[in-house]
Amino acid sequence: MDRKTYLSKVNELREHIARGDIYEVNFCQEFFAENAAINPYEVYLNLNKLSPTPFSGFFKLHGKYILSASPERFLCKRGEQLISQPIKGTAKRSHNQIEDELIKTALKNNLKEQAENVMIVDLVRNDLTKSAIRGTVKVNELFGIYSFPQVHQMISTVSCRMNPELHPVEAIANTFPMGSMTGAPKVRAMELIEETECSRRGIYSGAFGYFDPEGDFDFNVVIRSILYNEEKKYLSFQVGGAITFASSAEAEYEECMLKASAMIKTLKGPH
């Protein structure tokens, strides 16, 4: 998708918001290469070195790979607690420490980013009620600012006590796909994503993680991730952002490029 197409599609989505079809939608674009030959594990290590994140992971299934530098937790279960930590709100880092702190403060106080974040927090609260003991859903942290090598992120934490009659897999089914990668209301946002995006997402904006023997689990959101099909020699990654009525198409495009920067640097390799 070239820049002009991207800007036009974002403005088309803003028209849907103006009409009241949705409040917010996560719109993504794909970067890809055909006939690509890489050493997946080496690329993963380089990506992880350039962009270390708490939910990174290397996943291989036959000849298909996910090389993930994800900063986002989709859902985890710890005992009777379910915890989700949606990310909405991004700002670039600065090498100048004083400027970097100012950027961080500006992100924390940015009303547009807060509006994006709180819409998804409400959606996650709603999703968790399907798995929760009544009255236990709560927001543990709203608009927390966390810093990663390339970006500052606004992350909120929502939790509940899980209904003991539910199987852990049902808790995942009740919240999937995650609100931070779809929008609000979720189903209408997904329909518009299907109509507007130029590529199918595949595993991108899905999740991978683990279950332990006690039934606890932890799953990430597959973002900031390189996907590689060894047999077809097809390499791709996608980036996106939340579109609200207050969004500027140009600013959203720049945010996409910022999110793509670590993956592009990793694939280009040292010069």
Side-chain angles (χ1 to χ4, degrees), residues 85-148:
Q85 293 183 293
I87 294 180
K88 272 288 158 270
T90 303
K92 66 178 179 182
R93 301 289 309 262
S94 169
H95 295 299
N96 179 308
Q97 200 174 345
I98 296 165
E99 189 183 20
D100 196 53
E101 282 302 317
L102 290 172
I103 292 169
K104 198 170 165 180
T105 305
L107 175 62
K108 186 166 183 62
N109 299 323
N110 185 310
L111 295 177
K112 174 191 166 287
E113 303 284 20
Q114 287 182 5
E116 285 182 16
N117 194 291
V118 84
M119 281 183 214
I120 298 307
V121 166
D122 280 343
L123 193 154
V124 171
R125 284 167 62 206
N126 185 56
D127 282 351
L128 284 181
T129 57
K130 299 170 194 168
S131 308
I133 294 170
R134 194 171 174 180
T136 64
V137 176
K138 62 179 180 181
V139 179
N140 307 72
E141 182 180 33
L142 190 63
F143 310 149
I145 304 296
Y146 292 81
S147 300
F148 300 93

Side-chain angles (χ1 to χ4, degrees), residues 12 94 120 186 193 197 212 256:
E12 188 186 317
S94 169
I120 298 307
K186 192 189 268 190
I193 286 166
E197 290 184 1
D212 74 13
C256 281

Side-chain angles (χ1 to χ4, degrees), residues 210-216:
Y210 67 87
F211 283 86
D212 74 13
E214 283 71 48
D216 283 357

Side-chain angles (χ1 to χ4, degrees), residues 14-81:
R14 286 179 70 250
E15 283 170 26
H16 280 284
I17 295 167
R19 284 208 299 268
D21 297 339
I22 47 167
Y23 306 109
E24 175 175 357
V25 61
N26 192 279
F27 178 60
C28 301
Q29 57 174 315
E30 182 189 22
F31 295 74
F32 68 92
E34 293 169 311
N35 302 312
I38 62 167
N39 177 328
Y41 189 57
E42 196 176 289
V43 171
Y44 167 70
L45 291 177
N46 290 340
L47 180 61
N48 214 24
K49 193 174 171 184
L50 187 66
S51 186
T53 55
F55 300 104
S56 70
F58 178 83
F59 186 92
K60 176 181 187 287
L61 182 65
H62 307 302
K64 297 184 176 74
Y65 295 84
I66 307 170
L67 321 175
S68 179
S70 175
E72 183 170 1
R73 170 179 273 141
F74 160 45
L75 191 68
C76 83
K77 178 179 176 287
R78 294 280 181 273
E80 57 178 18
Q81 282 258 305

